[in-house]
Amino acid sequence: MSTPTTPVTSTRSGAASPRRRILAQAAFEVGSLLRNGEQLLVSLVLPAMALVGLSLTSSPSLGPGRRIDVATAGVIALCVISSAFTAQAISTGFDRRYAVLRYLGVTPLGRSGLVAAKVLATLAVEVVQVGVIAVLGAALGWRPQASGIAFAVLFVVVGTWAFVALALLLAGTLRAEAVLAIANLVWVLLLGLGGVIVPRTELPAGVSHVAAYLPSAGLADGLRSALVAGQLNLVALVVVLAWGLLATVLAARLFRFDD
Amino acid sequence: MTSAVTLSDLHRTFGQVAALDGLTWSAPVGRITAVLGPNGAGKTTAIECAVGLGRPDRGTVRVLDTDPWQAGAEHRARVGVMLQAGGLPNGTRPLRLLRHLSRLYADPVDVDAVARRLGVTDFASTTVRRLSGGQKQRLALAASLLGRPEVLFLDEPAAGLDPHGRLDVWDLVAEQRDAGTTVVVTTHSFEEAERLADHLVIMNAGRTVAEGTPDSVTGGRSLEDVYFSLTRKGAA
């Protein structure tokens, strides 16, 4: 048996700075998301196909405005929902199932660092998504209103917050399999009836009224107002902010790190 | 002798079940403490309280003079943890994961050296999801060492390993102790406890039923005899 020695603190490591820890985790999550084929399909391939499809047809009706301009704004909203909600809910649900959240909670990253890294990773993936969609849209004749770009960025950021919070609420309270099913189902429902690609004003009357209060329509309406008309849609912003606030409060109270 | 880890009169109840029922033990600085006990004795619950994943209903936990519940990043950097459930992301490869985790520390160990030492390089091209139980154990152990911890919590580190793998793990744990690290190992293996422990804790039904140096606990009898006499159903 060895003689007891007091640990020599100078040889100990200590934690990396909070900024480095969060950037490292965000980079790791982006790498994992971009390596995941199914996720790339939902995040990039399906939105791109939707954009091409809408540009080649005249149905469904997208309402007033140049069709490609309205369509591109809606597809950008779809990208945000894919990354911030569907992808994040599924990956967090399974990380919770496999005790990854517990493990990262005892590393210097910690739980708050993990949440910050997830938001950052989502924004980074969205930059890639919006870049691809913008180039594709431009090739198809998209001309966004320059005066509305700042408003569009605001909606993307606030929308990301709201949908990541909703994703964490779902992933932190249900079984991983249920999260997988619901996250995909919600994506499809919002795509069809949530006022994302097809503006809610073009949906049947009953659906249209409900959709007005959904975060999906709030985000997409806000992006359409910004990029098609160059305007700040305050009503849509309030809807998205309210969902973000509600989901954050509920997630903070109900999220369970253990499965 | 000073203690790096002190659990004092911990109570923790899940529904009707008292997982910890006045648990008290400590882990001396720079020594290996082996925690033995049957399934359901509360070993994992005790470790969870010690690493800040759980909070006792009553009692106090001190690790490096800090309450681990919601302790900051600097404290977590001083504590290495290997959880029984692993907790490693499934979709990634072992070396990418270790490199990533090492970036959470200011001055981590050499990832390649640790990976070679634990044989992680032998299965470097397999995703974590497809690793065998023993390979996952090795990877989780490697991960726990990345930040040069002052205190190392290992929840059944050698479970599911073949005899060579166990020997590798024991050598490595002893080396950590020799370098001054306080190690807390939970185990079901008498052999492991006998080989490693400088300090021995036997738990039963959420309490400590024996604690001290291995010699003082066994008093000349075999560890197995002492263990069964203390932990048989109905033993108090």
Side-chain angles (χ1 to χ4, degrees):
Chain A
M1 193 195 291
S2 71
T3 49
T5 47
T6 306
V8 184
T9 44
S10 62
T11 68
R12 303 295 174 180
S13 166
S17 68
R19 188 172 156 274
R20 262 196 69 197
R21 300 195 299 264
I22 291 168
L23 283 177
Q25 182 67 25
F28 180 78
E29 300 234 343
V30 169
S32 299
L33 285 170
L34 296 181
R35 278 176 173 80
N36 182 334
E38 305 95 88
Q39 209 44 68
L40 273 187
L41 184 72
V42 176
S43 310
L44 215 49
V45 179
L46 294 182
M49 283 172 64
L51 184 58
V52 173
L54 288 170
S55 75
L56 295 177
T57 59
S58 55
S59 168
S61 164
L62 300 184
R66 287 178 68 230
R67 187 171 176 83
I68 184 65
D69 291 350
V70 177
T72 306
V75 169
I76 290 173
L78 181 65
C79 288
V80 171
I81 296 170
S82 305
S83 290
F85 180 73
T86 310
Q88 217 37 273
I90 293 169
S91 79
T92 306
F94 280 94
D95 279 355
R96 176 167 163 258
R97 150 68 52 85
Y98 294 114
V100 177
L101 299 183
R102 285 160 56 85
Y103 179 72
L104 291 176
V106 299
T107 68
L109 181 68
R111 294 171 172 186
S112 55
L114 178 62
V115 172
K118 280 186 178 297
V119 172
L120 203 58
T122 303
L123 288 170
V125 170
E126 285 169 2
V127 167
V128 175
Q129 289 176 296
V130 172
V132 169
I133 294 300
V135 169
L136 185 61
L140 296 168
W142 178 47
R143 289 198 305 272
Q145 284 289 331
S147 59
I149 286 176
F151 301 142
V153 171
L154 173 70
F155 269 93
V156 167
V157 171
V158 174
T160 300
W161 165 50
F163 276 103
V164 168
L166 285 164
L168 294 181
L169 178 60
L170 186 64
T173 52
L174 298 178
R175 284 183 306 120
E177 291 77 10
V179 173
L180 179 66
I182 293 173
N184 281 314
L185 180 68
V186 167
W187 186 81
V188 171
L189 285 177
L190 290 182
L191 173 62
L193 303 170
V196 181
I197 285 188
V198 179
R200 60 183 179 79
T201 49
E202 305 304 307
L203 294 169
V207 179
S208 171
H209 289 111
V210 175
Y213 299 101
L214 294 178
S216 51
L219 171 63
D221 286 350
L223 285 170
R224 278 186 287 266
S225 298
L227 295 172
V228 179
Q231 289 166 353
L232 176 62
N233 186 333
L234 276 173
V235 175
L237 187 62
V238 167
V239 168
V240 180
L241 282 171
W243 278 95
L245 199 63
L246 179 71
T248 302
V249 169
L250 286 176
R253 288 179 71 103
L254 301 176
F255 193 98
R256 288 179 46 86
F257 281 82
D258 309 341
D259 193 14
Chain B
M1 194 184 296
T2 50
S3 299
V5 180
T6 311
L7 311 184
S8 315
D9 196 26
L10 300 191
H11 292 260
R12 179 112 161 90
T13 309
F14 297 104
Q16 296 292 311
V17 184
L20 302 180
D21 186 18
L23 181 72
T24 298
W25 54 255
S26 56
V29 168
R31 301 299 193 104
I32 298 172
T33 297
V35 181
L36 272 170
N39 289 329
K43 300 187 298 296
T44 295
T45 306
I47 298 298
E48 284 179 354
C49 289
V51 301
L53 281 174
R55 194 183 195 183
D57 303 325
R58 277 192 288 136
T60 53
V61 185
R62 303 295 289 176
V63 174
L64 297 170
D65 277 328
T66 304
D67 178 354
W69 180 251
Q70 294 181 339
E74 282 306 326
H75 174 79
R76 295 195 301 270
R78 298 169 74 191
V79 178
V81 180
M82 175 182 172
L83 296 172
Q84 220 179 83
L88 306 172
N90 263 290
T92 188
R93 289 177 208 279
L95 290 176
R96 176 172 176 256
L97 176 63
L98 291 179
R99 291 219 170 81
H100 163 55
L101 292 172
S102 74
R103 292 189 187 106
L104 305 176
Y105 300 91
D107 180 25
V109 295
D110 179 353
V111 170
D112 292 313
V114 171
R116 265 197 309 277
R117 179 71 204 279
L118 279 161
V120 173
T121 36
D122 299 344
F123 49 85
S125 57
T126 312
T127 49
V128 172
R129 184 189 305 119
R130 298 183 196 284
L131 297 181
S132 72
Q135 289 170 333
K136 278 186 189 163
Q137 296 277 105
R138 288 163 181 263
L139 180 59
L141 183 57
S144 73
L145 300 174
L146 292 172
R148 307 174 196 270
E150 283 169 63
V151 179
L152 193 52
F153 288 98
L154 307 175
D155 203 358
E156 300 192 23
L161 293 182
D162 64 20
H164 285 100
R166 284 211 300 275
L167 208 57
D168 288 347
V169 168
W170 293 339
D171 285 349
L172 197 129
V173 169
E175 240 172 66
Q176 293 295 314
R177 181 261 322 272
D178 295 343
T181 307
T182 304
V183 187
V184 177
V185 182
T186 69
T187 181
H188 283 294
S189 158
F190 302 121
E191 191 190 358
E192 184 162 88
E194 280 169 340
R195 276 187 181 250
L196 286 179
D198 305 312
H199 187 79
L200 195 60
V201 173
I202 301 180
M203 285 177 60
N204 192 37
R207 297 167 152 271
T208 300
V209 290
E211 180 176 12
T213 61
D215 287 345
S216 73
V217 168
T218 55
R221 297 160 69 197
S222 79
L223 176 57
E224 209 171 320
D225 283 350
V226 172
Y227 177 84
F228 284 122
S229 70
L230 289 169
T231 60
R232 270 265 161 82
K233 281 205 171 61

